[in-house]
Amino acid sequence: MGSKSATERALNYLRRAPRVTLTDVRDNPGARTKGRLVRKKDNMAGQQYNDLRGAGKPPLGWIWGDFYKPWQRIYPGATFFNQDINLRREYPPLSLLELQRLIDLGWLDPSLPIDLTALCNTRQYRCDPSLRQFGVQLTDEGASVFAAKVNLEGASVFAAKVNLEVQWASETAIAAVERAGGVVTTAYYDPIALTAAVDPLKWFEKGEPIPRRHSPPADLIGYYTDARHRGYLASPPAVEAARSELALKIGYALPDRTDDAQHDMLAARKDPLQVFFGLAPGWVVNLADQTLLKPKNPRLLHYYSGRLDASKDS
Amino acid sequence: MAARNFASMAIRNRLYCKSLSSQSFLRRCLSSSSESNAVSSVGKLGTSQEEPKIWEDPWRHALGPPPPPEEYTTEFEESSAEWKFVERLFPHDVIPEPPKHESYPTPSGWRPPRDPAPNLPYFIRRLRNHMLPLFLESRRDQLNLETMDYDYVELVKLKNVQGDVFACERDLRAYLESKVGHSIATHVNELQGAIRVKGVERADVERFLFEQGF
């Protein structure tokens, strides 16, 4: 058997697939986006006279000409003016202060790792994959008071040792968490895995197997392999070195990690393919009987293990 | 109209007959093949009856019979050992009670309401999530004639003020002006028990209310 063309491999795949029906064929999430429409009320915004005539502003992108088409739709080849507006990613922010308030009021348990799923389960934080939102962005509001170790009432603001898994984190936010003795990791979730992570109960009720996470796209690989961002694809020794470097840069002493009680919790990390702690991709959750169904088919096991063995496709 | 309907019906009927005829053609092919097979099998023992003739399926003749479908196992293993990890993924159904802290304020500055309530002419009721009723508003201000754009003003709105709202506003303004250092603007909505404040952070108003004991 020599090397096969892509068409032959595709045909072989189709021949071996258990069944393909119209219900199996669907777009990946985010493949099609509906552009925001300019509506009639945006024209002049109801101000047709006096000084207010120029005050009715059309939405962003409208330069001149057809009122109902912004620039990026009239000239789709023009890269310099918001051509990628439908491809941009959003990371709804979460400040350290908000995080601490959630812990104080019992929404989050700091004795367990805190990831996107835990945050969304509080219902106080919202991440919507259908709006091109890709996860949690940790901001440092609440860390500047921590630098002084006291706030106005005399209590240290960010005192919890937490194991945080976010999708984007600023340097000062990482520093504040590590200074308190916690751990930050930045990890990428592709849209399907993100839909499962944001609302696990809804995903399980569909009867779908737990998805496997795919690798970040080309423009994000650099971010998640960098130890300075505590990327989940960076090597652990590089992350350790970056920890010490950041402590020197900002000017604080790294706390010693001899507290064995929390060591296991702080050392817990997800596999790059894993969406939920303790559960492997490919498993189906049986909510009625409270069990997990694990597949035995070698083809499925190969897919969910993430090995890049191409010969399995031919 | 009637003529057109009649004509379209005629076309449809003709097409239907055509399809029927094509179906009958196929049926005749298949039946003839089976007949011919039957005939041939009678004549020569040992030839396979399933093998179609070259003119019935030339592709099969060229490429050979298709490979048998792969055995696809749908077996699975059931276990409940990892169920505790699934339980961790369930969302909160009800608002949790705030845990008992050793000292207040907590690291984020939160305090529980004082019991009994403070002896003041006003009272501020907490929300069901144990937080103070402080909200952020962005209201449209005046039109800026230079930029021909509206200016927006950011306000902090305090709701659920019961009793003497004006007394609350007086105390609030005195506290904030001493803390912040500059004058601030307030607006009182007596009927709804709301106070809008301009020129301060929400955290400052929250601190005042926690100190008062609400």
Side-chain angles (χ1 to χ4, degrees):
Chain A
M1 284 259 182
S3 64
K4 294 189 179 181
S5 75
T7 323
E8 270 190 82
R9 290 217 310 268
L11 275 172
N12 275 325
Y13 175 79
L14 203 59
R15 196 178 281 161
R16 286 149 181 239
R19 59 180 172 269
V20 176
T21 63
L22 273 176
T23 52
D24 294 326
V25 179
R26 66 180 75 87
D27 286 336
N28 279 329
R32 284 176 222 262
T33 50
K34 278 194 226 172
R36 231 181 286 190
L37 297 171
V38 172
R39 287 166 293 182
K40 197 161 178 235
K41 73 167 182 62
D42 295 317
N43 194 2
M44 295 288 260
Q47 313 294 339
Q48 270 110 19
Y49 65 99
N50 293 342
D51 298 319
L52 300 168
R53 236 177 324 184
K57 293 285 187 286
L60 280 175
W62 185 73
I63 306 295
W64 198 253
D66 185 357
F67 190 83
Y68 298 96
K69 265 198 252 170
W71 182 281
Q72 55 264 21
R73 259 183 260 159
I74 300 170
Y75 304 109
T79 52
F80 45 82
F81 199 92
N82 292 330
Q83 191 206 29
D84 62 343
I85 197 151
N86 291 326
L87 301 174
R88 289 186 198 155
R89 295 181 201 101
E90 218 176 75
Y91 295 88
L94 180 81
S95 68
L96 289 174
L97 195 59
E98 282 178 303
L99 182 65
Q100 187 62 49
R101 182 58 66 92
L102 290 171
I103 293 168
D104 288 341
L105 290 179
W107 291 104
L108 286 171
D109 186 2
S111 70
L112 291 172
I114 294 171
D115 59 350
L116 175 67
T117 308
L119 276 166
C120 291
N121 282 342
T122 64
R123 308 266 202 237
Q124 306 301 300
Y125 178 83
R126 198 179 145 80
C127 174
D128 192 350
S130 64
L131 299 175
R132 294 279 308 175
Q133 291 179 351
F134 274 73
V136 185
Q137 184 194 160
L138 196 66
T139 57
D140 58 359
E141 188 181 350
S144 60
V145 184
F146 183 78
K149 287 238 165 149
V150 291
N151 68 5
L152 294 163
E153 276 79 42
S156 60
V157 175
F158 200 75
K161 260 196 225 181
V162 286
N163 180 349
L164 275 178
E165 195 203 56
V166 292
Q167 278 65 52
W168 204 272
S170 66
E171 202 179 45
T172 36
I174 294 170
V177 177
E178 291 185 340
R179 189 176 185 170
V183 158
V184 187
T185 318
T186 48
Y188 175 76
Y189 285 73
D190 59 282
I192 296 174
L194 191 71
T195 312
V198 155
D199 200 342
L201 190 61
K202 189 173 168 184
W203 185 270
F204 298 154
E205 282 169 355
K206 288 202 284 189
E208 297 261 2
I210 294 169
R212 54 155 279 194
R213 268 198 282 162
H214 291 272
S215 64
D219 51 348
L220 285 178
I221 283 264
Y223 186 87
Y224 290 106
T225 45
D226 198 347
R228 278 172 301 173
H229 303 129
R230 308 292 184 275
Y232 72 124
L233 298 173
S235 65
V239 170
E240 276 299 315
R243 250 183 108 237
S244 336
E245 203 183 304
L246 187 61
L248 277 173
K249 178 178 174 180
I250 303 235
Y252 59 87
L254 271 179
D256 60 338
R257 293 183 283 189
T258 52
D259 186 356
D260 284 334
Q262 284 188 300
H263 177 264
D264 287 340
M265 186 278 288
L266 291 172
R269 300 274 187 287
K270 286 184 201 171
D271 189 75
L273 301 172
Q274 220 180 349
V275 178
F276 305 118
F277 277 112
L279 304 174
W283 294 356
V284 180
V285 176
N286 184 347
L287 290 169
D289 301 329
Q290 298 193 351
T291 55
L292 285 147
L293 312 177
K294 305 174 190 178
K296 280 186 171 168
N297 188 314
R299 180 175 287 279
L300 286 175
L301 293 172
H302 177 81
Y303 170 75
Y304 285 116
S305 69
R307 282 196 285 271
L308 299 171
D309 195 2
S311 65
K312 281 279 179 178
D313 282 338
S314 54
Chain B
M1 190 73 168
R4 210 187 321 155
N5 279 346
F6 182 75
S8 63
M9 277 304 295
I11 291 163
R12 275 204 281 161
N13 285 339
R14 247 179 277 141
L15 289 169
Y16 181 65
C17 293
K18 217 174 195 172
S19 64
L20 268 182
S21 66
S22 63
Q23 278 175 22
S24 60
F25 170 68
L26 268 175
R27 260 191 241 120
R28 268 185 273 130
C29 283
L30 293 167
S31 56
S32 66
S33 68
S34 62
E35 278 165 19
S36 60
N37 281 344
V39 162
S40 60
S41 65
V42 163
K44 304 171 198 167
L45 296 164
T47 50
S48 57
Q49 290 177 0
E50 305 96 37
E51 196 68 34
K53 296 288 178 195
I54 181 172
W55 58 86
E56 277 147 10
D57 198 349
W59 296 275
R60 190 191 169 101
H61 178 81
L63 301 170
E70 213 181 79
E71 289 295 310
Y72 191 89
T73 52
T74 52
E75 281 167 19
F76 60 90
E77 196 189 306
E78 197 160 354
S79 97
S80 56
E82 296 92 352
W83 182 254
K84 59 178 190 287
F85 293 108
V86 177
E87 281 182 333
R88 276 194 353 204
L89 303 174
F90 293 157
H92 287 276
D93 279 332
V94 291
I95 297 166
E97 281 297 316
K100 294 268 180 297
H101 294 258
E102 292 113 30
S103 70
Y104 294 106
T106 61
S108 70
W110 184 84
R111 273 186 230 248
R114 207 185 291 167
D115 192 22
N119 188 16
L120 288 163
Y122 49 90
F123 178 73
I124 287 133
R125 188 172 53 83
R126 290 225 182 166
L127 301 171
R128 66 190 69 192
N129 59 7
H130 314 290
M131 302 256 269
L132 287 163
L134 288 167
F135 302 91
L136 295 172
E137 262 183 4
S138 178
R139 293 181 72 89
R140 199 173 68 181
D141 202 11
Q142 287 181 347
L143 178 71
N144 185 333
L145 291 167
E146 273 101 59
T147 62
M148 285 314 275
D149 229 330
Y150 281 105
D151 287 332
Y152 285 81
V153 69
E154 277 153 23
L155 304 169
V156 175
K157 187 174 181 183
L158 169 65
K159 294 170 71 170
N160 299 347
V161 183
Q162 297 164 9
D164 190 351
V165 194
F166 295 101
C168 178
E169 186 265 336
R170 248 177 275 126
D171 294 346
L172 179 65
R173 191 153 37 90
Y175 176 89
L176 288 173
E177 278 177 350
S178 67
K179 274 277 177 187
V180 165
H182 59 78
S183 65
I184 57 165
T186 55
H187 171 263
V188 172
N189 185 335
E190 191 186 1
L191 293 173
Q192 291 185 342
I195 301 170
R196 283 203 185 89
V197 187
K198 174 171 152 180
V200 286
E201 293 285 318
R202 183 167 52 167
D204 297 326
V205 185
E206 196 186 54
R207 205 170 297 123
F208 164 74
L209 293 169
F210 280 138
E211 279 180 13
Q212 296 285 77
F214 293 116

